Amino acid sequence: MFYYNVNKRFLIFVFLFVFLFLFSAFRDSLGTDYSFYEFNYEHPKSMFKIEFLFELLFVQFLRIFSFDAILFFIVTSFLINFLIIKKIYYDNYLPYVSLIIYVSYFYLSSFNVIRQFIVIAFFYAYLVDLLEHKDKKFLIWGLLLTFIHLSFLAIIPLYFFNNRVIKRNFLLSIWGVSVLILLLQVYKFYSIVDLAEYIRNFSWISVKFELWANAIKALYRDVQSNIQLYLKNLLFLILFFRLTKKNIHESYNYLILFLFGLIFQNLFSSIEFIGVRIGYYGDFALIFLVPMYIKSLNVKINRQIAAFCFLLYFVGLGFYRFYIKGESQALPKWKPNKELLLKQRSILEKRDSS
């Protein structure tokens, strides 16, 4: 009978997929860019000139079947969640851990950056393996994905790096330089004007004291505003030293991806499209790196403690991002009011008419 032939885990994943898909597809104005995508679907005017493939596949083609934007959200929600959950189910050490990380930390972001999440989902579902084996089909698919979201152009050069021969110290050096640059961005008061002002008003001892006092204040403010980025750098070190020490070959490709995204975030933390958007590609590797780390621990109690700590981190951070801060406006608590939606629509209409 069907009941006895179907794996219990498979049924759980199917149920969760259906729930996540339906909640995303019929979210009713939830998401920062909901109005933008809705308007673009109902009034297509080639707003994505470089990323024309997105316009062709997800707007012009879908409009053959319906002019209602709900079809756009149904198709994109199904595609994103199906590809990611399928990857988690079939290619993972601890699928439940990965699923919790995805739902708590990444899922609600897909309500906002829809185009990029389509690319990320397809990349991790099919292209990561091509990238690892240096299959030339990766370049063809990569070029096509660039025409859906331009940010994937930054990922294509990874094809030309041999992950197997890159030295561990070399990777750590690159990461260290990016962290140093991130920290140096804090000390803006070291400008010539500020330094001249200090020298004019204080003795040399007072100048040094004032400079260090401002350094501590600036660093404190930066830690407050970039706490997630600093925690992510710490997480990289934890994963990197353990997985490279255990020589887990399956983790190399994901480690390189995570490091690559982290470097962009460190170097361009103040530029959203370059830092945050490209960083998404690397962050997604955590869905697969964390289970590898947990699995590498020899003692069962250590694996349980590690799993608890990681899940507490991602669930807590997800709660902070989406519920407290209201990132992506993806929860009903942060649903924009009708006046704001009308204002956004009027702005789009004016831009469209111009």
Side-chain angles (χ1 to χ4, degrees), residues 269-325:
S269 59
S270 59
I271 306 175
E272 180 180 357
F273 183 80
I274 299 178
V276 177
R277 290 301 183 91
I278 295 177
Y280 275 140
Y281 294 101
D283 291 351
F284 235 78
L286 290 169
I287 294 174
F288 307 97
L289 284 172
V290 169
M292 291 179 187
Y293 176 92
I294 296 171
K295 198 75 174 179
S296 71
L297 301 174
N298 299 323
V299 183
K300 182 178 179 180
I301 186 65
N302 291 342
R303 291 197 295 270
Q304 293 174 339
I305 293 173
F308 175 79
C309 291
F310 277 118
L311 293 180
L312 182 64
Y313 167 78
F314 283 106
V315 172
L317 199 54
F319 180 80
Y320 170 74
R321 289 178 60 199
F322 300 113
Y323 187 79
I324 296 179
K325 286 184 64 179

Side-chain angles (χ1 to χ4, degrees), residues 233-245:
N233 278 280
L234 178 61
L235 186 58
F236 167 75
L237 288 179
I238 294 171
L239 295 171
F240 182 83
F241 281 113
R242 179 66 187 182
L243 295 175
T244 54
K245 180 181 178 181

Side-chain angles (χ1 to χ4, degrees), residues 1-7 10-11:
M1 292 178 64
F2 176 80
Y3 177 81
Y4 292 102
N5 292 331
V6 176
N7 189 297
F10 177 79
L11 290 176

Side-chain angles (χ1 to χ4, degrees), residues 21-182:
F21 156 63
L22 292 176
F23 183 72
S24 176
F26 301 98
R27 57 184 182 265
D28 188 25
S29 301
L30 290 177
T32 310
D33 293 341
Y34 187 95
S35 295
F36 170 76
Y37 285 108
E38 182 183 44
F39 180 84
N40 180 65
Y41 184 86
E42 295 174 352
H43 306 84
K45 293 291 183 180
S46 299
M47 299 177 75
F48 307 102
K49 294 182 180 179
I50 297 178
E51 297 132 326
F52 66 89
L53 194 57
F54 171 82
E55 190 88 24
L56 182 65
L57 294 177
F58 297 98
V59 178
Q60 301 296 347
F61 177 73
L62 292 182
R63 280 173 60 86
I64 296 174
F65 305 97
S66 174
F67 294 120
D68 192 336
I70 191 63
L71 178 62
F72 168 82
F73 293 106
I74 290 173
V75 171
T76 54
S77 298
F78 180 89
L79 184 63
I80 291 169
N81 288 287
F82 175 76
L83 291 176
I84 293 172
I85 291 178
K86 179 185 175 184
K87 174 71 173 178
I88 290 173
Y89 180 81
Y90 284 108
D91 190 16
N92 209 296
Y93 285 96
L94 299 170
Y96 291 117
V97 171
S98 292
L99 188 63
I100 293 173
I101 293 173
Y102 167 64
V103 172
S104 61
Y105 192 72
F106 295 102
Y107 169 68
L108 293 177
S109 292
S110 68
F111 287 23
N112 188 20
V113 285
I114 296 175
R115 286 184 299 132
Q116 188 176 5
F117 260 78
I118 293 172
V119 173
I120 291 174
F122 192 86
F123 171 58
Y124 273 90
Y126 297 113
L127 301 192
V128 167
D129 292 335
L130 296 180
L131 177 61
E132 184 175 7
H133 296 98
K134 305 305 173 187
D135 192 321
K136 292 181 180 179
K137 287 184 285 188
F138 172 82
L139 296 176
I140 299 173
W141 282 109
L143 184 62
L144 292 174
L145 291 180
T146 300
F147 294 132
I148 294 179
H149 200 274
L150 191 60
S151 62
F152 195 78
L153 190 64
I155 304 299
I156 294 178
L158 288 177
Y159 173 84
F160 301 99
F161 289 90
N162 191 336
N163 300 347
R164 303 295 183 185
V165 299
I166 298 177
K167 300 296 183 182
R168 173 177 170 177
N169 291 338
F170 175 73
L171 295 176
L172 279 176
S173 300
I174 295 176
W175 170 80
V177 170
S178 71
V179 172
L180 181 62
I181 294 174
L182 172 66

